[in-house]
């Protein structure tokens, strides 16, 4: 049962079809305060069309609204405020959750179509930085949300495993590297070499030439160059995998930039045939209206990041026939994606309309951007390990008899880090603070996890038997019910706006509403309504668990 849908239907009839249903749905608001009802319809826009005052229109609509699901309808200040019939509605929504369980909230806007999601995509031989954390957790959440919204997600890790930096790395390794050290701490060692290269190259500019030569060798498939590159790549992936394992993230494809090396000639030839390529200072570019031209080939004949993304887009369309294709990449690459999409448009590919850059803000340290060049970065693996250690310490103090402590500590520690990111609208910059991330109260992952565990324990203590029955919910439960009703719509909005923070904020609100109820109602009192109250607790548990799952966070039963 979709209560908003019901409101749309009766409004549509009351207005004799003067506004279409999609429009009506978008106009319905959620009132700020409970005393204003559960849904509100503003009449200001209609006032212009109907040439009547909003107040008069609201009154007229109110008189014509009629459905057993509404307890009361009021016209106030140009709004139609609707109060749902609490009993009927509670019973419907609780029964729905009891029967659908974790499937509750599923919306089929994706119609089983494929959505490719390019996320995480770290650069090999460089640390997996806090910046990549954002792409990783946002992308993973969007993959889970899109599945719930009826899409088939394909998770792609477009590794940065090609480019001139590998020439630099080979030079640095051959001059100053040590095999054993690289094997022991691959990323740290390779980063050190990379930083050293930049320091030395400032004193000795010829190093840059050497690096260019080695990159050329790599592009020409020289044996030594390839085997070093492959080794750096393998060691890096091994290390990134530790982070993915901690976070419980899997990819369908690890095709990075290098995979497209032999697929770029075709792009260049196509662009030539379509007469889209132009020469500019010896380089080959595609000019684009109102934007700088897209660089396809450098003067020395080597290809670029954009060329590889063009080849990758075509490959993905041919392989997966995606309806949508998301790129979860920081704001600073906005121009790059605009150019790539514009070139595909010029090539006449209608499917490029499904391509979407999903940008996000930076992680700042003391208000400044964190950079890898200087070697000063916070390593994500270390942050996760710190968070897990802190969670374990907390468990040992507060709940020393808990089973599976290590596993629960991993769930809480990673949950804290993931939630700290996802509770922010992705476009906002986030100040990096280990301390804030690890707070286990306030707007945090552990707070929601804790609320979920509290619900789980109530169900055990109260010996809850999931039974579907006619439920008479107390007024005190209404704030919870109205949140439960909203879940499917939140899922839909998170999908449509590519915005996991909608779900993060939602689970916080649901947890708060539940904890307030818990503080004022004796849930486990032995009276007739006990099983009904437990049905409510069960519903909250299911939805908290599912909300956290959509964010990529596990919810332990006990903590
Ligand atoms: N298809 C893409 N360009 N994906 C994003 C790649 C991100 C790039 N490796 C970086 O760290 O900046």
């Amino acid at each position: 049962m979709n209560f908003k849908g019901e409101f749309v239907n009766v409004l549509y009839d009351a207005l004799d079809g003067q506004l279409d249903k999609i429009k009506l749905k978008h106009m319905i608001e959620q009132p700020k305060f409970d005393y204003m009802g559960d849904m509100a319809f503003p009449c200001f826009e209609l006032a212009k069309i109907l040439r009547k005052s909003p107040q008069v229109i609201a009154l007229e609509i109110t008189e014509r609204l009629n459905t057993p699901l509404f307890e009361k309808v009021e016209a106030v200040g140009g709004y139609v405020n609707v109060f749902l019939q609490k009993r009927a509605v509670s019973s419907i929504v609780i029964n729905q959750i009891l029967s659908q369980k974790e499937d509750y909230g599923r919306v089929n806007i994706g119609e089983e179509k494929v959505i490719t999601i390019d996320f995480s995509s770290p650069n090999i031989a460089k640390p997996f930085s806090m910046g990549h954390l954002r792409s990783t957790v946002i992308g993973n959440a969007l993959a889970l949300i899109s599945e719930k919204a009826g899409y088939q997600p394909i998770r792609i890790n477009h590794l940065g495993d090609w480019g001139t930096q590998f020439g630099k790395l080979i030079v640095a390794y051959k001059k100053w590297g040590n095999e054993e050290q690289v094997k022991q701490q691959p990323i740290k060692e390779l980063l050190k070499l990379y930083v050293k290269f930049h320091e030395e190259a400032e004193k000795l500019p010829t190093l840059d030439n050497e690096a260019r030569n080695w990159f050329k060798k790599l592009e020409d498939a020289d044996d030594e160059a390839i085997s070093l590159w492959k080794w750096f790549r393998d060691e890096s992936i091994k290390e990134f995998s530790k982070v993915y394992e901690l976070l419980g993230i899997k990819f369908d494809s690890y095709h990075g930039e290098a995979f497209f090396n032999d697929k770029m000639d075709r792009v260049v030839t196509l662009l030539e045939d379509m007469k889209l390529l132009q020469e500019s200072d010896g380089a080959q570019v595609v000019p684009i209206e109102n934007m700088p031209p897209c660089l396809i080939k450098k003067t020395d004949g080597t290809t670029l990041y954009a060329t590889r993304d063009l080849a990758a887009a075509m490959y993905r369309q041919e392989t997966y026939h995606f309806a949508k294709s998301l790129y979860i990449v920081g704001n600073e690459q906005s121009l790059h994606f605009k150019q790539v999409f514009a070139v595909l448009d010029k090539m006449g590919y209608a499917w490029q309309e499904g391509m979407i850059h999903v940008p996000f803000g930076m992680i700042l340290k003391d208000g400044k951007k964190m950079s890898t060049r200087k070697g000063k970065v916070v390593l994500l693996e270390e942050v996760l390990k710190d968070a897990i250690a802190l969670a374990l310490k907390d468990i040992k103090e507060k709940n020393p008899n808990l089973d599976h402590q290590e596993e629960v500590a991993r769930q809480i520690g990673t949950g804290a880090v993931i939630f700290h990111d996802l509770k922010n609208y992705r476009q906002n910059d986030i100040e990096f603070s280990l301390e804030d991330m690890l707070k286990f109260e306030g707007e945090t992952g552990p707070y929601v996890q804790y609320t979920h565990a509290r619900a789980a324990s109530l169900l055990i203590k109260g010996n809850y038997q999931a039974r579907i029955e006619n439920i008479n919910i107390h007024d005190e439960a209404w704030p919870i019910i109205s949140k439960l009703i909203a879940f499917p719509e939140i899922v839909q909005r998170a999908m449509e706006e590519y915005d996991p923070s909608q779900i993060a904020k939602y689970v916080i609100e649901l947890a708060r509403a539940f904890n307030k109820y818990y503080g004022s109602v004796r849930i486990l009192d032995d009276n007739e309504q006990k099983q009904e109250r437990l049905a409510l607790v069960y519903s909250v548990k299911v939805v908290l668990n599912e909300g956290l799952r959509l964010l990529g966070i596990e919810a332990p039963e006990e903590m």
Side-chain angles (χ1 to χ4, degrees):
M1 173 51 79
N2 173 346
F3 304 103
K4 196 169 183 181
E6 179 72 9
F7 192 19
V8 168
N9 288 338
V10 291
L11 270 173
Y12 184 79
D13 292 340
L15 291 167
D16 301 321
Q18 292 182 78
L19 291 180
D20 68 56
K21 292 190 178 180
I22 295 170
K23 169 93 183 144
L24 287 172
K25 186 168 172 225
H26 283 288
M27 287 171 77
I28 295 173
E29 296 174 9
Q30 169 89 42
K32 286 210 174 56
F33 302 100
D34 286 349
Y35 70 83
M36 296 168 136
D38 302 299
M39 290 183 283
F41 179 74
C43 301
F44 307 99
E45 226 181 293
L46 272 173
K48 284 176 227 144
I49 305 170
L50 302 177
R51 296 172 183 279
K52 288 186 206 169
S53 80
Q55 288 78 1
V56 170
I57 299 171
L59 254 170
E60 287 176 1
I61 294 178
T62 306
E63 276 156 20
R64 295 187 60 182
L65 281 190
N66 195 0
T67 154
L69 286 176
F70 296 171
E71 180 180 279
K72 189 168 71 170
V73 187
E74 274 178 3
V76 180
Y79 281 88
V80 177
N81 290 343
V82 162
F83 296 75
L84 291 170
Q85 174 63 47
K86 294 191 174 54
R87 285 247 165 108
V89 165
S90 305
S91 194
I92 290 170
V93 74
I94 299 276
N95 276 305
Q96 210 173 12
I97 298 172
L98 293 191
S99 64
Q100 297 183 351
K101 304 205 174 61
E102 65 277 2
D103 246 4
Y104 177 68
R106 200 179 150 76
V107 285
N108 193 10
I109 51 179
E111 300 168 325
E112 301 308 314
K113 289 182 192 142
V114 171
I115 183 169
T116 59
I117 306 182
D118 177 322
F119 71 105
S120 196
S121 311
N123 301 319
I124 68 165
K126 279 202 191 167
F128 197 123
S129 69
M130 291 303 294
H132 288 112
L133 168 71
R134 299 218 68 190
S135 173
T136 306
V137 300
I138 296 170
N140 186 51
L142 289 176
L144 293 161
I145 293 165
S146 67
E147 218 160 24
K148 183 114 183 153
Y151 286 96
Q152 280 185 63
I154 304 285
R155 296 155 167 92
I156 301 174
N157 196 338
H158 188 78
L159 289 175
D161 56 3
W162 205 252
T164 45
Q165 72 267 31
F166 295 103
K168 297 177 186 173
L169 209 57
I170 292 174
V171 170
Y173 177 74
K174 285 174 73 73
K175 284 196 194 305
W176 311 294
N178 169 308
E179 185 173 343
E180 266 322 296
Q181 277 165 354
V182 173
K183 274 195 178 142
Q184 264 167 24
Q185 289 196 305
I187 305 272
K188 267 209 172 130
E189 254 343 282
L190 293 174
L191 176 65
K192 243 196 233 164
L193 289 171
Y194 187 70
V195 171
K196 185 162 172 89
F197 180 91
H198 281 278
E199 283 165 7
E200 299 292 324
E202 264 175 37
K203 294 177 243 162
L204 191 67
T206 53
L207 278 180
D208 281 321
N209 273 333
E210 269 184 66
R212 256 193 293 281
N213 286 339
W214 271 104
F215 181 58
K216 187 88 183 82
K217 280 192 185 180
L218 192 56
E219 291 219 297
D220 296 341
D222 168 86
D223 279 347
E224 187 185 4
I226 289 279
S227 90
L228 278 173
W229 167 79
K230 212 174 150 334
W231 181 50
F232 297 155
R233 186 180 191 274
D234 290 347
E235 293 297 329
S236 303
I237 292 180
K238 254 192 245 163
E239 201 146 314
F240 296 150
S241 300
K242 291 186 202 160
V243 169
Y244 298 139
E245 218 164 280
L246 281 175
L247 294 172
I249 292 179
K250 288 202 170 67
F251 292 92
D252 298 299
S253 155
Y254 271 93
H255 287 331
E257 294 185 42
F259 178 78
F260 298 100
N261 273 340
D262 62 0
K263 298 172 181 58
M264 280 183 296
D265 281 350
R266 181 179 156 219
V267 177
V268 177
T269 313
L270 269 172
L271 289 171
E272 265 164 7
D273 291 351
M274 294 173 175
K275 309 240 176 310
L276 293 171
L277 270 190
Q278 272 182 22
E279 210 188 287
S280 163
D281 294 332
Q284 299 287 318
V285 305
V286 177
I288 311 169
E289 298 72 45
N290 308 320
M291 264 185 253
C294 183
L295 267 163
I296 301 295
K297 250 183 173 182
K298 284 200 240 176
T299 326
D300 62 6
T302 51
T303 53
L304 290 118
Y305 186 49
T307 330
R308 290 189 279 277
D309 258 329
L310 288 169
M314 290 167 66
Y315 175 85
R316 287 173 194 175
Q317 177 56 225
E318 280 156 16
T319 310
Y320 304 113
H321 311 287
F322 61 76
K324 276 181 192 284
S325 179
L326 308 187
Y327 293 82
I328 321 300
V329 188
N331 267 322
E332 60 277 11
Q333 293 191 25
S334 289
L335 177 62
H336 164 75
F337 286 107
K338 276 196 194 125
Q339 291 174 315
V340 168
F341 301 166
V343 172
L344 290 168
D345 189 27
K346 280 185 173 293
M347 294 172 88
Y349 297 127
W351 47 260
Q352 71 82 30
E353 279 171 35
M355 301 180 72
I356 299 141
H357 175 210
V358 179
F360 52 83
M362 290 185 289
I363 300 216
L364 307 172
K365 183 82 191 136
D366 304 321
K368 285 195 222 87
K369 188 183 171 185
M370 298 164 93
S371 126
T372 26
R373 270 283 172 86
K374 308 252 157 63
K376 266 192 288 178
V377 303
V378 184
L379 299 187
L380 179 57
E381 198 192 336
E382 284 168 17
V383 171
L384 289 172
K385 289 205 164 135
D386 287 352
I388 293 168
L390 215 83
L392 189 61
K393 189 170 147 253
D394 210 58
I395 292 172
K396 291 216 185 307
E397 278 166 20
K398 294 190 185 137
N399 196 358
N401 297 322
L402 182 70
D403 291 336
H404 317 295
Q405 298 192 356
E406 308 268 329
E407 177 60 5
V408 174
R410 184 190 62 76
Q411 295 171 328
I412 298 175
T414 56
V417 175
I418 297 172
F419 200 89
H420 176 79
D421 189 297
L422 294 183
K423 75 175 182 192
N424 297 289
Y425 176 54
R426 59 181 161 74
Q427 289 280 43
N428 298 344
D429 291 342
I430 304 181
E431 175 69 27
F432 174 77
S433 149
L434 199 56
E435 201 186 313
D436 272 3
M437 223 175 250
L438 299 178
K439 275 190 192 138
F440 289 178
E441 61 224 27
E443 293 189 352
T444 67
Y447 170 73
V448 183
Q449 287 171 316
Y450 182 74
T451 309
H452 169 269
R454 166 176 277 169
S457 123
L458 281 166
L459 294 176
I460 293 173
K461 281 191 198 138
N463 187 25
Y464 171 61
Q465 327 275 318
R467 266 182 290 138
I468 300 188
E469 52 197 319
N470 198 15
I471 285 164
N472 270 315
I473 288 295
H474 236 238
D475 271 5
E476 273 141 312
W478 184 248
I480 299 179
I481 299 283
S482 75
K483 282 277 164 297
L484 293 175
I485 294 170
F487 187 54
E489 214 188 308
I490 297 288
V491 172
Q492 177 161 354
R493 228 187 302 146
M495 181 67 220
E496 284 168 352
E497 293 168 24
Y498 310 112
D499 178 14
S501 76
Q502 305 256 357
I503 292 182
K505 291 187 180 114
Y506 170 83
V507 289
I508 285 283
E509 286 165 13
L510 178 58
R512 284 217 176 107
F514 177 69
N515 284 324
K516 198 163 167 215
Y517 177 80
Y518 175 86
S520 64
V521 175
R522 294 157 66 133
I523 297 174
L524 294 179
D525 261 8
D526 257 322
N527 56 24
E528 283 150 57
Q529 281 91 41
K530 180 172 144 192
Q531 286 301 319
E532 290 176 9
R533 289 192 298 269
L534 288 175
L536 179 74
V537 174
Y538 176 84
S539 304
V540 169
K541 178 181 184 287
V542 166
V543 175
L544 284 180
N545 190 11
E546 187 56 10
L548 287 173
R549 188 190 68 81
L550 293 177
L551 299 175
I553 298 174
E554 292 164 68
E557 293 291 304
E558 236 189 301
M559 63 187 266

